[in-house]
Amino acid sequence: MLYRHNSDELDNTLLALADPTRREILAHLSRGEARVTEVASHFPISLNAVSKHIRLLERGRLIQRRIQGRDHFLCLRPVAIVAIQEWLTHQQHFWQVNLAAIADLLDAGIPPSPHTSKRKKS
Amino acid sequence: MLYRHNSDELDNTLLALADPTRREILAHLSRGEARVTEVASHFPISLNAVSKHIRLLERGRLIQRRIQGRDHFLCLRPVAIVAIQEWLTHQQHFWQVNLAAIADLLDAGIPPSPHTSKRKKS
DNA sequence: ATTATATTCATCCAAAAGGTTGAATATATG
DNA sequence: CATATATTCAACCTTTTGGATGAATATAAT
């Protein structure tokens, strides 16, 4: 990625989501704000490991931190999710065109060639 | 991630999306299927690098490959996108509750405190 | 003032990502 | 056959992840 350092925001958001522990942290925070130690207590990994996950979630703009004394309260920050959904919706425009084309072929009785559709191996 | 190896599918899909080159590859494929070399010609990196990106996109179930002679034709595979959107929608249910709470506070004239949520920290 | 709690920082490690180059493997084409 | 093309495989390098542990820092409580 030496030749491209725009779109970092979406990168960071998607990367932060691409880990089951971090998604679980988000799920916990969806039930209300919590301190770092509270969050960490639900995971079999070290507090420090959770602290690192939280940093990545912040980098992805998925959570935010409010420091009060020695406690760091975390809460969700839904802005980034909207950005992802916008991107997905934009992509899906093309993808659904693709899907529609496949459906048309099937509808016309053309046998599904190995590429255009593997459609439900069901 | 020694303690958790379920949910790998979503992991692989999101990780595959968390790179601008790979998202550009998807954008190219959204305009129709293409061979590996055709895709690679649009990027300033080596063919091998693109080949690796393609492997990650396959692992994320975002594209599929049809081999015809020496040519490998790639096309989009929208299934995974649906999985992501389902996950996002499920999450957003909670997140929008959170947003609604913030909106309520603002509506009541409470100044936006840095943490955006003074809901029961009991 | 001392101790306990909450959190990060620093370091280390193994594995993976993202890139390179060079070789191998098919498959077309002359 | 010989050669060119399409693609992957195999190393290698550097940076980042995801984990661990131990030390540092800041704040709270006794």
Side-chain angles (χ1 to χ4, degrees):
Chain A
M1 225 153 324
L2 302 115
Y3 61 95
R4 172 140 227 203
H5 33 76
N6 37 337
S7 80
D8 286 340
E9 298 175 2
L10 191 51
D11 287 4
N12 288 337
T13 302
L14 289 167
L15 186 64
L17 288 173
D19 179 276
T21 300
R22 286 194 290 267
R23 289 196 303 274
E24 271 192 66
I25 292 174
L26 293 177
H28 274 291
L29 293 179
S30 74
R31 302 194 268 277
E33 70 176 9
R35 289 176 303 111
V36 173
T37 308
E38 288 169 359
V39 170
S41 69
H42 298 101
F43 297 94
I45 59 178
S46 73
L47 172 66
N48 284 9
V50 173
S51 178
K52 278 199 201 177
H53 281 303
I54 288 170
R55 203 193 320 143
L56 290 188
L57 286 168
E58 282 185 297
R59 196 183 66 182
R61 293 157 21 267
L62 287 161
I63 67 176
Q64 76 186 64
R65 181 191 306 253
R66 167 179 57 103
I67 299 175
Q68 193 175 44
R70 61 182 173 178
D71 296 318
H72 294 210
F73 288 93
L74 309 169
C75 66
L76 294 181
R77 190 181 156 188
V79 188
I81 284 287
V82 174
I84 300 170
Q85 282 192 320
E86 280 171 1
W87 184 81
L88 282 176
T89 301
H90 178 253
Q91 291 300 311
Q92 220 182 17
H93 169 252
F94 298 104
W95 295 36
Q96 281 176 344
V97 168
N98 198 283
L99 277 177
I102 295 168
D104 285 352
L105 289 177
L106 292 172
D107 214 44
I110 298 172
S113 58
H115 58 304
T116 21
S117 79
K118 167 148 300 181
R119 94 180 222 97
K120 39 173 26 186
K121 49 200 155 191
S122 61
Chain B
M1 225 156 327
L2 300 117
Y3 61 96
R4 175 139 225 206
H5 31 75
N6 37 339
S7 80
D8 286 340
E9 298 175 4
L10 192 52
D11 289 4
N12 288 336
T13 302
L14 288 166
L15 186 65
L17 287 174
D19 178 277
T21 300
R22 287 194 288 270
R23 290 196 302 276
E24 272 192 64
I25 291 174
L26 293 177
H28 275 289
L29 293 178
S30 74
R31 302 194 269 276
E33 71 176 8
R35 290 176 302 110
V36 174
T37 308
E38 287 169 359
V39 170
S41 69
H42 298 101
F43 298 93
I45 60 178
S46 73
L47 172 65
N48 284 9
V50 173
S51 179
K52 279 199 203 175
H53 280 303
I54 288 170
R55 202 193 320 142
L56 290 187
L57 286 168
E58 282 185 296
R59 195 181 70 181
R61 294 156 22 264
L62 288 161
I63 66 175
Q64 76 186 63
R65 181 191 306 251
R66 166 181 58 102
I67 299 176
Q68 193 177 43
R70 62 183 172 178
D71 294 319
H72 293 211
F73 288 93
L74 311 168
C75 65
L76 294 181
R77 190 180 156 189
V79 188
I81 284 286
V82 174
I84 301 170
Q85 282 193 321
E86 280 171 2
W87 183 81
L88 283 176
T89 301
H90 177 253
Q91 291 300 312
Q92 219 183 17
H93 169 251
F94 297 104
W95 295 34
Q96 281 177 344
V97 168
N98 198 283
L99 277 176
I102 296 167
D104 285 354
L105 289 177
L106 291 173
D107 214 44
I110 298 173
S113 59
H115 56 287
T116 47
S117 134
K118 42 188 50 152
R119 311 185 49 81
K120 56 174 336 199
K121 64 179 67 161
S122 50

